[in-house]
Amino acid sequence: MKNLLAIAVTSASGILLFSACAKNNVPEGPNKPDAPITLISLAQPVKESMSGFSFTFFKTLMKEKPVNENIFVSPLSLHIALGMVANGAAGETRDEIVKVLEAQNLSKEDLNQSYRTLLEKLPNADPKTSLGLANSIWYKNSFAVEPDFIKTSKDYFNAQVTGLPFQPSDVNTINKWASDNTNGKIPKVIDKFDDGLVMLLMNALYFKGDWRAKFDKSKNQSKEFTKADGTKIPVQMMRLEDTVKYASNGNYTAVQKLYGSGQFSMTILLPQSGTIEEVFNQLNLQEWNALQGGLHTTKVALELPKFKLEQEFRLEQCLQTMGIQKAFTNVADFSMLSKAFTKISFVKQNTFGAVDEAGTEAAAVTTIGMILTAENPDAIPKFICDRPFGIIISENTSNTILFMGRITQPVSQ
């Protein structure tokens, strides 16, 4: 499992990583898949881009949130949504997006092809799990979109591209798309169309996998869960003796539990003495690969709390911290998307996650909103005194003010 492709969860005492298994790390022995593995072939720079972005994004977002707050997000969904946006960007705006995606060593064609591969291969990787990936672009009818951008979005992202009046009733149409592509788990992503909004770019990701070895509900116990601040809350703890992949490096222990036929898995990381933040902050692409190489098969007595989360994250600040700056400003260059001057107004992700005795169900919808900027940033500034204004007459070397005035009714002879 060389590359992290989907979802990360953190709570007050552990980290769970949901991931896709590549052929070069197929479990053996009792964990050997009971169906043929589907090879998802990605170039090494693509794998590094996906995994590196996943850890950087999650660690950046983790710093924004209180230590007692759950975080459940989809790095893959955000990566794909930003990848669509990148095709509409040019110059420094595109450079910043691509750098944050850790894809600066990839050509536009290679990056787009990797998205097409994932969209085609991931949903069919394991016949015993359900996985859906979908993209859509919604634009205001009066907004002129570049034909090449639409073609690229359809060809590589299989995106549904739809023009709408952006009237109040259209909100229901967009929310229905989100609901339909997440099995109803995310029924609403927008409440209204903000002023100036001309486009929404969306990615939906849905995953449902039954444990290969399920928990027995009759063995559940009510237990106390100690939060980061030391307070305790009751949880329903699932219990199972299972043969799993296991590793321990002194800072944390890791267990890898399989779904379905064995191509997808959940890796659970439990700190030994420090905090989740300390464990996660040491995780990067190299550490993740080292962990995979250190896993060995053994029998463990696993206890995992049941949980269900429904969350929404605004990600503008997180992405700006990571390095996407110009895309949010009036000097953004989205000339490959439209000749009109546009910028990103918001990036949000709605997520759902549930872990129980049978398995895991998870969903995410990433929504990126584009608005028109005030005007052409290269145009000569306009200063039209067609409303009350003020004047100051001063001597420049001493900065002495001679006269001051408020002109509310200018009258000329």
Side-chain angles (χ1 to χ4, degrees), residues 174-220:
I174 292 169
N175 285 332
K176 185 178 185 301
W177 182 89
S179 180
D180 289 347
N181 285 283
T182 58
N183 200 32
K185 296 306 176 185
I186 300 178
K188 185 173 75 172
V189 294
I190 60 170
D191 296 308
K192 61 183 178 65
F193 295 110
D194 295 333
D195 292 340
L197 187 72
V198 292
M199 179 178 284
L200 293 169
L201 301 98
M202 301 174 64
N203 170 269
L205 170 61
Y206 175 77
F207 174 83
K208 189 176 191 302
D210 289 345
W211 302 121
R212 191 169 181 184
K214 294 181 175 65
F215 292 87
D216 183 346
K217 192 172 183 178
S218 67
K219 294 182 179 179
N220 289 3

Short mmCIF file of all heavy atoms in Angstrom, two decimals, residues 174-220:
data_model
loop_
_atom_site.label_atom_id
_atom_site.label_comp_id
_atom_site.label_asym_id
_atom_site.label_seq_id
_atom_site.Cartn_x
_atom_site.Cartn_y
_atom_site.Cartn_z
N ILE A 174 -28.39 21.09 -7.58
CA ILE A 174 -26.99 20.83 -7.22
C ILE A 174 -26.92 19.95 -5.98
O ILE A 174 -26.10 19.01 -5.91
CB ILE A 174 -26.26 22.17 -7.02
CG1 ILE A 174 -26.15 22.89 -8.38
CG2 ILE A 174 -24.88 21.96 -6.41
CD1 ILE A 174 -25.69 24.32 -8.29
N ASN A 175 -27.74 20.22 -4.99
CA ASN A 175 -27.75 19.39 -3.79
C ASN A 175 -28.18 17.95 -4.10
O ASN A 175 -27.68 16.99 -3.50
CB ASN A 175 -28.67 19.99 -2.73
CG ASN A 175 -28.05 21.20 -2.05
OD1 ASN A 175 -26.83 21.32 -1.95
ND2 ASN A 175 -28.88 22.10 -1.58
N LYS A 176 -29.10 17.79 -5.05
CA LYS A 176 -29.53 16.44 -5.45
C LYS A 176 -28.37 15.68 -6.07
O LYS A 176 -28.20 14.47 -5.84
CB LYS A 176 -30.70 16.52 -6.42
CG LYS A 176 -31.28 15.14 -6.80
CD LYS A 176 -32.46 15.29 -7.73
CE LYS A 176 -33.11 13.92 -8.01
NZ LYS A 176 -32.17 12.95 -8.62
N TRP A 177 -27.54 16.38 -6.87
CA TRP A 177 -26.37 15.71 -7.45
C TRP A 177 -25.45 15.21 -6.34
O TRP A 177 -24.96 14.07 -6.40
CB TRP A 177 -25.61 16.68 -8.36
CG TRP A 177 -24.42 16.05 -9.02
CD1 TRP A 177 -24.39 15.39 -10.20
CD2 TRP A 177 -23.08 16.01 -8.50
NE1 TRP A 177 -23.11 14.94 -10.47
CE2 TRP A 177 -22.29 15.30 -9.44
CE3 TRP A 177 -22.48 16.49 -7.34
CZ2 TRP A 177 -20.93 15.07 -9.26
CZ3 TRP A 177 -21.11 16.27 -7.15
CH2 TRP A 177 -20.35 15.57 -8.10
N ALA A 178 -25.21 16.04 -5.32
CA ALA A 178 -24.36 15.63 -4.21
C ALA A 178 -24.95 14.43 -3.49
O ALA A 178 -24.24 13.47 -3.15
CB ALA A 178 -24.17 16.80 -3.24
N SER A 179 -26.25 14.46 -3.24
CA SER A 179 -26.91 13.36 -2.55
C SER A 179 -26.87 12.07 -3.37
O SER A 179 -26.54 10.99 -2.87
CB SER A 179 -28.37 13.74 -2.24
OG SER A 179 -29.03 12.69 -1.56
N ASP A 180 -27.17 12.19 -4.67
CA ASP A 180 -27.20 11.00 -5.54
C ASP A 180 -25.83 10.34 -5.63
O ASP A 180 -25.75 9.11 -5.79
CB ASP A 180 -27.66 11.39 -6.95
CG ASP A 180 -29.14 11.75 -7.02
OD1 ASP A 180 -29.86 11.47 -6.04
OD2 ASP A 180 -29.56 12.32 -8.04
N ASN A 181 -24.78 11.11 -5.56
CA ASN A 181 -23.43 10.55 -5.73
C ASN A 181 -22.75 10.20 -4.41
O ASN A 181 -21.57 9.83 -4.42
CB ASN A 181 -22.58 11.53 -6.54
CG ASN A 181 -22.94 11.50 -8.02
OD1 ASN A 181 -22.56 10.60 -8.74
ND2 ASN A 181 -23.71 12.49 -8.46
N THR A 182 -23.48 10.32 -3.30
CA THR A 182 -22.95 9.89 -1.99
C THR A 182 -23.95 8.98 -1.30
O THR A 182 -23.94 8.85 -0.08
CB THR A 182 -22.64 11.09 -1.08
OG1 THR A 182 -23.84 11.88 -0.90
CG2 THR A 182 -21.54 11.96 -1.68
N ASN A 183 -24.81 8.34 -2.09
CA ASN A 183 -25.80 7.42 -1.53
C ASN A 183 -26.66 8.08 -0.47
O ASN A 183 -27.04 7.46 0.53
CB ASN A 183 -25.11 6.17 -0.96
CG ASN A 183 -26.07 4.99 -0.82
OD1 ASN A 183 -27.00 4.83 -1.61
ND2 ASN A 183 -25.86 4.17 0.20
N GLY A 184 -26.94 9.36 -0.66
CA GLY A 184 -27.79 10.09 0.27
C GLY A 184 -27.13 10.54 1.55
O GLY A 184 -27.78 11.14 2.41
N LYS A 185 -25.83 10.30 1.69
CA LYS A 185 -25.16 10.62 2.96
C LYS A 185 -24.82 12.10 3.08
O LYS A 185 -24.64 12.61 4.18
CB LYS A 185 -23.88 9.78 3.11
CG LYS A 185 -24.15 8.28 3.19
CD LYS A 185 -25.13 7.96 4.29
CE LYS A 185 -25.49 6.49 4.34
NZ LYS A 185 -26.55 6.22 5.34
N ILE A 186 -24.71 12.80 1.96
CA ILE A 186 -24.46 14.25 2.00
C ILE A 186 -25.57 14.90 1.16
O ILE A 186 -25.43 15.10 -0.04
CB ILE A 186 -23.07 14.61 1.47
CG1 ILE A 186 -22.01 13.92 2.33
CG2 ILE A 186 -22.84 16.13 1.48
CD1 ILE A 186 -20.59 14.15 1.90
N PRO A 187 -26.70 15.22 1.80
CA PRO A 187 -27.86 15.72 1.06
C PRO A 187 -27.80 17.19 0.70
O PRO A 187 -28.56 17.64 -0.16
CB PRO A 187 -29.02 15.45 2.03
CG PRO A 187 -28.39 15.52 3.38
CD PRO A 187 -27.00 14.97 3.22
N LYS A 188 -26.90 17.96 1.33
CA LYS A 188 -26.87 19.40 1.04
C LYS A 188 -25.45 19.93 1.14
O LYS A 188 -24.75 19.68 2.12
CB LYS A 188 -27.76 20.16 2.01
CG LYS A 188 -27.87 21.66 1.71
CD LYS A 188 -28.89 22.35 2.60
CE LYS A 188 -28.38 22.54 4.02
NZ LYS A 188 -29.29 23.38 4.84
N VAL A 189 -25.05 20.69 0.13
CA VAL A 189 -23.71 21.31 0.15
C VAL A 189 -23.78 22.82 0.00
O VAL A 189 -22.82 23.52 0.32
CB VAL A 189 -22.80 20.71 -0.95
CG1 VAL A 189 -22.49 19.24 -0.66
CG2 VAL A 189 -23.42 20.86 -2.33
N ILE A 190 -24.90 23.35 -0.54
CA ILE A 190 -25.05 24.80 -0.64
C ILE A 190 -26.46 25.20 -0.21
O ILE A 190 -27.41 24.42 -0.34
CB ILE A 190 -24.77 25.34 -2.06
CG1 ILE A 190 -25.73 24.74 -3.08
CG2 ILE A 190 -23.33 25.11 -2.46
CD1 ILE A 190 -25.67 25.41 -4.44
N ASP A 191 -26.59 26.40 0.34
CA ASP A 191 -27.88 26.94 0.76
C ASP A 191 -28.42 27.95 -0.26
O ASP A 191 -29.63 28.09 -0.42
CB ASP A 191 -27.77 27.64 2.11
CG ASP A 191 -27.40 26.66 3.22
OD1 ASP A 191 -28.09 25.64 3.33
OD2 ASP A 191 -26.42 26.92 3.96
N LYS A 192 -27.49 28.67 -0.92
CA LYS A 192 -27.90 29.71 -1.85
C LYS A 192 -26.72 30.04 -2.76
O LYS A 192 -25.61 29.54 -2.55
CB LYS A 192 -28.32 30.98 -1.09
CG LYS A 192 -27.22 31.61 -0.25
CD LYS A 192 -27.73 32.80 0.53
CE LYS A 192 -26.66 33.42 1.41
NZ LYS A 192 -25.55 34.00 0.64
N PHE A 193 -26.99 30.85 -3.77
CA PHE A 193 -25.93 31.32 -4.65
C PHE A 193 -25.47 32.69 -4.17
O PHE A 193 -26.25 33.64 -4.13
CB PHE A 193 -26.43 31.43 -6.09
CG PHE A 193 -26.81 30.12 -6.71
CD1 PHE A 193 -28.13 29.81 -6.97
CD2 PHE A 193 -25.84 29.18 -7.01
CE1 PHE A 193 -28.49 28.60 -7.54
CE2 PHE A 193 -26.18 27.95 -7.58
CZ PHE A 193 -27.50 27.66 -7.84
N ASP A 194 -24.21 32.79 -3.78
CA ASP A 194 -23.67 34.07 -3.32
C ASP A 194 -23.60 35.07 -4.47
O ASP A 194 -23.52 34.69 -5.65
CB ASP A 194 -22.27 33.87 -2.72
CG ASP A 194 -22.29 33.02 -1.46
OD1 ASP A 194 -23.33 33.00 -0.78
OD2 ASP A 194 -21.27 32.36 -1.18
N ASP A 195 -23.60 36.34 -4.12
CA ASP A 195 -23.49 37.39 -5.13
C ASP A 195 -22.21 37.21 -5.93
O ASP A 195 -21.13 36.99 -5.37
CB ASP A 195 -23.50 38.77 -4.47
CG ASP A 195 -24.84 39.10 -3.84
OD1 ASP A 195 -25.84 38.48 -4.23
OD2 ASP A 195 -24.87 39.99 -2.97
N GLY A 196 -22.32 37.30 -7.23
CA GLY A 196 -21.15 37.20 -8.10
C GLY A 196 -20.74 35.79 -8.45
O GLY A 196 -19.83 35.59 -9.26
N LEU A 197 -21.38 34.77 -7.85
CA LEU A 197 -21.00 33.38 -8.12
C LEU A 197 -21.32 33.02 -9.56
O LEU A 197 -22.44 33.24 -10.03
CB LEU A 197 -21.73 32.44 -7.17
CG LEU A 197 -21.32 30.97 -7.23
CD1 LEU A 197 -19.94 30.78 -6.61
CD2 LEU A 197 -22.32 30.08 -6.51
N VAL A 198 -20.34 32.47 -10.27
CA VAL A 198 -20.55 32.11 -11.67
C VAL A 198 -20.27 30.64 -11.96
O VAL A 198 -20.63 30.14 -13.02
CB VAL A 198 -19.69 32.99 -12.61
CG1 VAL A 198 -20.17 34.42 -12.58
CG2 VAL A 198 -18.21 32.90 -12.24
N MET A 199 -19.62 29.94 -11.03
CA MET A 199 -19.30 28.54 -11.29
C MET A 199 -19.08 27.78 -9.99
O MET A 199 -18.54 28.32 -9.02
CB MET A 199 -18.04 28.43 -12.17
CG MET A 199 -17.62 26.99 -12.48
SD MET A 199 -16.17 26.88 -13.57
CE MET A 199 -16.92 27.27 -15.15
N LEU A 200 -19.50 26.52 -9.99
CA LEU A 200 -19.19 25.58 -8.91
C LEU A 200 -18.51 24.37 -9.53
O LEU A 200 -19.00 23.80 -10.51
CB LEU A 200 -20.45 25.14 -8.18
CG LEU A 200 -21.20 26.20 -7.38
CD1 LEU A 200 -22.56 25.66 -6.95
CD2 LEU A 200 -20.39 26.63 -6.16
N LEU A 201 -17.36 23.97 -8.98
CA LEU A 201 -16.67 22.75 -9.40
C LEU A 201 -16.74 21.78 -8.24
O LEU A 201 -16.37 22.12 -7.11
CB LEU A 201 -15.22 23.04 -9.77
CG LEU A 201 -15.02 24.06 -10.90
CD1 LEU A 201 -14.71 25.44 -10.32
CD2 LEU A 201 -13.91 23.63 -11.84
N MET A 202 -17.21 20.56 -8.50
CA MET A 202 -17.50 19.64 -7.41
C MET A 202 -16.94 18.24 -7.67
O MET A 202 -16.94 17.75 -8.81
CB MET A 202 -19.02 19.56 -7.19
CG MET A 202 -19.67 20.89 -6.86
SD MET A 202 -21.47 20.83 -6.78
CE MET A 202 -21.70 19.71 -5.39
N ASN A 203 -16.47 17.63 -6.60
CA ASN A 203 -16.11 16.21 -6.63
C ASN A 203 -16.86 15.49 -5.53
O ASN A 203 -16.96 16.00 -4.41
CB ASN A 203 -14.61 16.00 -6.43
CG ASN A 203 -14.26 14.53 -6.22
OD1 ASN A 203 -14.22 14.05 -5.10
ND2 ASN A 203 -14.04 13.82 -7.30
N ALA A 204 -17.40 14.33 -5.84
CA ALA A 204 -18.07 13.49 -4.85
C ALA A 204 -17.36 12.15 -4.77
O ALA A 204 -17.03 11.55 -5.80
CB ALA A 204 -19.54 13.29 -5.20
N LEU A 205 -17.13 11.69 -3.55
CA LEU A 205 -16.47 10.41 -3.31
C LEU A 205 -17.30 9.62 -2.31
O LEU A 205 -17.69 10.16 -1.25
CB LEU A 205 -15.06 10.64 -2.76
CG LEU A 205 -14.29 9.43 -2.21
CD1 LEU A 205 -14.08 8.39 -3.30
CD2 LEU A 205 -12.95 9.87 -1.64
N TYR A 206 -17.59 8.38 -2.64
CA TYR A 206 -18.38 7.51 -1.75
C TYR A 206 -17.68 6.17 -1.60
O TYR A 206 -17.21 5.60 -2.59
CB TYR A 206 -19.79 7.31 -2.31
CG TYR A 206 -20.62 6.34 -1.50
CD1 TYR A 206 -21.20 6.73 -0.29
CD2 TYR A 206 -20.80 5.03 -1.93
CE1 TYR A 206 -21.95 5.82 0.47
CE2 TYR A 206 -21.55 4.13 -1.19
CZ TYR A 206 -22.12 4.54 0.01
OH TYR A 206 -22.86 3.64 0.76
N PHE A 207 -17.63 5.66 -0.37
CA PHE A 207 -17.00 4.36 -0.10
C PHE A 207 -17.85 3.59 0.90
O PHE A 207 -18.30 4.16 1.91
CB PHE A 207 -15.59 4.56 0.47
CG PHE A 207 -14.94 3.27 0.92
CD1 PHE A 207 -14.30 2.45 0.01
CD2 PHE A 207 -14.98 2.88 2.25
CE1 PHE A 207 -13.71 1.26 0.41
CE2 PHE A 207 -14.39 1.69 2.67
CZ PHE A 207 -13.74 0.87 1.74
N LYS A 208 -18.08 2.33 0.61
CA LYS A 208 -18.73 1.43 1.56
C LYS A 208 -18.07 0.08 1.47
O LYS A 208 -18.06 -0.55 0.41
CB LYS A 208 -20.23 1.30 1.29
CG LYS A 208 -20.98 0.56 2.41
CD LYS A 208 -22.47 0.52 2.16
CE LYS A 208 -23.23 0.03 3.38
NZ LYS A 208 -22.80 -1.32 3.83
N GLY A 209 -17.49 -0.34 2.58
CA GLY A 209 -16.82 -1.62 2.61
C GLY A 209 -17.12 -2.37 3.88
O GLY A 209 -17.08 -1.81 4.98
N ASP A 210 -17.48 -3.65 3.73
CA ASP A 210 -17.66 -4.52 4.89
C ASP A 210 -16.30 -5.06 5.32
O ASP A 210 -15.44 -5.37 4.48
CB ASP A 210 -18.59 -5.68 4.56
CG ASP A 210 -20.03 -5.23 4.38
OD1 ASP A 210 -20.35 -4.10 4.79
OD2 ASP A 210 -20.83 -6.01 3.83
N TRP A 211 -16.11 -5.17 6.64
CA TRP A 211 -14.88 -5.79 7.14
C TRP A 211 -14.75 -7.19 6.56
O TRP A 211 -15.73 -7.94 6.45
CB TRP A 211 -14.88 -5.89 8.65
CG TRP A 211 -15.04 -4.61 9.41
CD1 TRP A 211 -16.01 -4.30 10.29
CD2 TRP A 211 -14.14 -3.49 9.40
NE1 TRP A 211 -15.82 -3.05 10.82
CE2 TRP A 211 -14.68 -2.53 10.29
CE3 TRP A 211 -12.97 -3.20 8.71
CZ2 TRP A 211 -14.06 -1.30 10.51
CZ3 TRP A 211 -12.35 -1.98 8.93
CH2 TRP A 211 -12.90 -1.05 9.82
N ARG A 212 -13.55 -7.57 6.26
CA ARG A 212 -13.33 -8.96 5.85
C ARG A 212 -13.61 -9.88 7.04
O ARG A 212 -14.18 -10.96 6.87
CB ARG A 212 -11.89 -9.13 5.36
CG ARG A 212 -11.65 -10.47 4.68
CD ARG A 212 -10.32 -10.49 3.98
NE ARG A 212 -10.13 -11.76 3.32
CZ ARG A 212 -9.01 -12.10 2.69
NH1 ARG A 212 -8.02 -11.23 2.62
NH2 ARG A 212 -8.91 -13.26 2.12
N ALA A 213 -13.21 -9.46 8.22
CA ALA A 213 -13.56 -10.16 9.46
C ALA A 213 -14.41 -9.19 10.28
O ALA A 213 -13.89 -8.20 10.80
CB ALA A 213 -12.31 -10.58 10.22
N LYS A 214 -15.71 -9.46 10.38
CA LYS A 214 -16.63 -8.54 11.04
C LYS A 214 -16.56 -8.68 12.56
O LYS A 214 -16.15 -9.71 13.10
CB LYS A 214 -18.07 -8.80 10.57
CG LYS A 214 -18.30 -8.48 9.09
CD LYS A 214 -19.75 -8.75 8.71
CE LYS A 214 -20.03 -8.33 7.27
NZ LYS A 214 -19.26 -9.13 6.31
N PHE A 215 -16.96 -7.60 13.24
CA PHE A 215 -17.10 -7.63 14.68
C PHE A 215 -18.43 -8.29 15.06
O PHE A 215 -19.42 -8.16 14.34
CB PHE A 215 -17.07 -6.20 15.25
CG PHE A 215 -15.75 -5.51 15.14
CD1 PHE A 215 -15.41 -4.81 13.99
CD2 PHE A 215 -14.83 -5.55 16.18
CE1 PHE A 215 -14.20 -4.15 13.87
CE2 PHE A 215 -13.62 -4.90 16.09
CZ PHE A 215 -13.29 -4.21 14.93
N ASP A 216 -18.43 -8.99 16.18
CA ASP A 216 -19.65 -9.60 16.72
C ASP A 216 -20.30 -8.60 17.67
O ASP A 216 -19.73 -8.25 18.70
CB ASP A 216 -19.30 -10.90 17.46
CG ASP A 216 -20.53 -11.63 17.97
OD1 ASP A 216 -21.62 -11.04 17.99
OD2 ASP A 216 -20.38 -12.80 18.37
N LYS A 217 -21.49 -8.14 17.30
CA LYS A 217 -22.16 -7.11 18.09
C LYS A 217 -22.39 -7.54 19.53
O LYS A 217 -22.38 -6.71 20.44
CB LYS A 217 -23.50 -6.75 17.44
CG LYS A 217 -24.16 -5.50 17.99
CD LYS A 217 -25.37 -5.09 17.18
CE LYS A 217 -25.97 -3.80 17.70
NZ LYS A 217 -27.14 -3.37 16.87
N SER A 218 -22.57 -8.84 19.76
CA SER A 218 -22.83 -9.33 21.12
C SER A 218 -21.62 -9.17 22.03
O SER A 218 -21.75 -9.24 23.26
CB SER A 218 -23.26 -10.80 21.08
OG SER A 218 -22.19 -11.62 20.64
N LYS A 219 -20.45 -8.92 21.44
CA LYS A 219 -19.23 -8.77 22.24
C LYS A 219 -18.91 -7.31 22.54
O LYS A 219 -17.90 -7.01 23.19
CB LYS A 219 -18.05 -9.42 21.52
CG LYS A 219 -18.19 -10.94 21.40
CD LYS A 219 -16.96 -11.57 20.74
CE LYS A 219 -17.11 -13.08 20.65
NZ LYS A 219 -15.94 -13.73 19.98
N ASN A 220 -19.74 -6.38 22.04
CA ASN A 220 -19.53 -4.96 22.33
C ASN A 220 -19.62 -4.71 23.83
O ASN A 220 -20.38 -5.36 24.55
CB ASN A 220 -20.57 -4.10 21.62
CG ASN A 220 -20.35 -4.05 20.12
OD1 ASN A 220 -19.45 -4.69 19.59
ND2 ASN A 220 -21.19 -3.29 19.43
#
